[in-house]
Amino acid sequence: MENTINGIHHITAIAGNAKKNYDFYTRVLGLRLVKKTVNFDDPGTYHLYYGDGNGTPGSILTFFPWEGISAGRRGARQVTEIGYSVPEGSLDFWLKRFEDNNVIYNKPAEKFGEQYLTFLDPDGLKFELIVPKAADNRTPWETAEVTAANATKGFHSITITSNKIEATAKILTDVLGYRLLEQHVNRYRFVTDAVENAAIVDLVEVPGEVAGHVAGGSVHHVAFRVPNEKVLMEYREKIAKLGLHITDKIDRNYFYSLYFREPGGVLFEIATDNPGFAVDEPVELLGTGLKLPAQHEHLRGELEKALPSLI
């Protein structure tokens, strides 16, 4: 089978207050809300999708906002950092914006020859805004306050922290088609050549690190991208042959998914490009209506009353 993982599809995390989450990602970061739906397994909770103007895989960050959830703890066996690509010369803009909006951040630094700025969202989820070495030609979503000169382009990378990276690295290289690009001290950078962007996974090895606790401000899972269901099921067969438990194909309305936990403890998903976020509302109206899966449509009246207002 050809190496047809096309980088990161989406990243799903856990938040607390839905309105704070919506305000931070749409106003402060300037992302587009591309889908307002519910957690299919817990329909009393939103599932909010943010991304670029078209909801392009590789730009999609999603949240389950559970009001009152306890704070998570970063540590081993977790995705500990999410990297967004930003334009050259934009970090000063973001420093001022974070200062003006009381966002916790660190001074810019550099790794693997790329400048980056670390910050935390309102729930403590850790991000990096990264100026990539190679030009990122993706078209960003713009707002009145966050224009194309500074806007995020989509994902650059994720970082996984592990006590021992060997087994996770083997999944990346032998199953998902990544290769080791470079190493600095205990950080190992893996990349896929299948796509230009959202193509990097960093593994950080910290033998003595305590396992993290997934809760508020934590990444729940990371999804890798495939073009269609045929390729998806080829990966299912390949992963099952390794003796790893992998789910059956699940219809998430906007993509089809498989889930498995890699040996290092992180929940991985493989998700298709099809059918996409315009399947139930036109691109120009993405994120404007509450969209429910067929199995929960009978709850619409109840959910519209119970779900909190985002505005």
Side-chain angles (χ1 to χ4, degrees):
M1 185 178 66
E2 293 181 0
N3 294 332
T4 46
I5 289 288
N6 294 326
I8 298 166
H9 184 283
H10 68 269
I11 298 165
T12 294
I14 301 171
N17 182 272
K19 189 177 187 303
K20 282 185 180 178
N21 181 267
Y22 172 79
D23 179 73
F24 182 80
Y25 285 96
T26 59
R27 187 183 63 79
V28 179
L29 278 195
L31 304 182
R32 185 181 192 187
L33 179 68
V34 297
K35 196 62 61 179
K36 180 170 63 173
T37 182
V38 295
N39 184 327
F40 287 11
D41 302 315
D42 178 19
T45 300
Y46 278 124
H47 193 178
L48 303 176
Y49 291 74
Y50 304 99
D52 67 7
N54 295 311
T56 309
S59 76
I60 300 297
L61 179 65
T62 95
F63 285 92
F64 302 132
W66 278 301
E67 185 71 38
I69 193 168
S70 61
R73 183 185 66 250
R74 280 188 297 278
R77 303 173 68 82
Q78 278 189 339
V79 175
T80 48
E81 295 157 4
I82 298 169
Y84 271 110
S85 171
V86 293
E88 187 173 359
S90 66
L91 294 188
D92 284 344
F93 166 87
W94 287 108
L95 283 166
K96 184 178 187 306
R97 189 158 183 80
F98 291 160
E99 189 69 31
D100 291 346
N101 286 278
N102 299 311
V103 176
I104 296 171
Y105 66 91
N106 286 335
K107 292 179 181 178
E110 186 176 301
K111 63 186 170 193
F112 296 123
E114 296 177 324
Q115 271 199 313
Y116 70 96
L117 170 62
T118 300
F119 70 95
L120 303 180
D121 87 345
D123 291 290
L125 188 61
K126 187 178 180 183
F127 288 88
E128 294 174 341
L129 298 181
I130 302 166
V131 180
K133 292 178 186 175
D136 186 335
N137 295 315
R138 290 177 289 180
T139 301
W141 176 250
E142 294 185 76
T143 69
E145 296 183 3
V146 184
T147 62
N150 301 302
T152 62
K153 301 272 195 165
F155 296 128
H156 172 279
S157 55
I158 59 167
T159 298
I160 295 172
T161 298
S162 180
N163 297 129
K164 188 173 177 60
I165 70 162
E166 183 178 1
T168 304
K170 192 171 179 63
I171 293 294
L172 289 177
T173 57
D174 295 5
V175 177
L176 303 184
Y178 283 69
R179 62 180 175 86
L180 179 62
L181 178 66
E182 50 192 328
Q183 175 193 353
H184 180 68
V185 193
N186 66 334
R187 181 178 288 267
Y188 300 77
R189 173 153 290 186
F190 292 81
V191 65
T192 175
D193 297 316
V195 287
E196 293 182 356
N197 303 298
I200 294 169
V201 177
D202 282 358
L203 300 183
V204 173
E205 186 170 77
V206 189
E209 183 77 12
V210 175
H213 172 59
V214 174
S218 303
V219 171
H220 185 272
H221 64 268
V222 58
F224 294 90
R225 180 182 181 185
V226 293
N228 54 51
E229 294 161 77
K230 178 179 181 294
V231 177
L232 184 77
M233 297 312 289
E234 289 174 355
Y235 272 101
R236 188 184 190 283
E237 182 180 354
K238 188 171 186 177
I239 292 163
K241 282 182 179 178
L242 296 176
L244 295 173
H245 173 72
I246 184 164
T247 65
D248 292 331
K249 181 176 71 173
I250 299 173
D251 182 354
R252 295 301 191 195
N253 277 30
Y254 312 109
F255 43 86
Y256 295 92
S257 297
L258 302 168
Y259 299 84
F260 70 101
R261 199 168 292 278
E262 55 86 20
V266 177
L267 185 61
F268 279 3
E269 176 182 353
I270 303 176
T272 63
D273 283 356
N274 66 296
F277 291 100
V279 69
D280 58 1
E281 57 187 342
V283 169
E284 61 270 20
L285 296 178
L286 286 177
T288 58
L290 176 64
K291 298 301 176 182
L292 299 177
Q295 66 267 32
H296 295 321
E297 188 59 52
H298 71 284
L299 299 173
R300 176 173 291 277
E302 178 184 332
L303 293 175
E304 286 179 342
K305 291 176 183 176
L307 290 166
S309 171
L310 297 180
I311 299 171

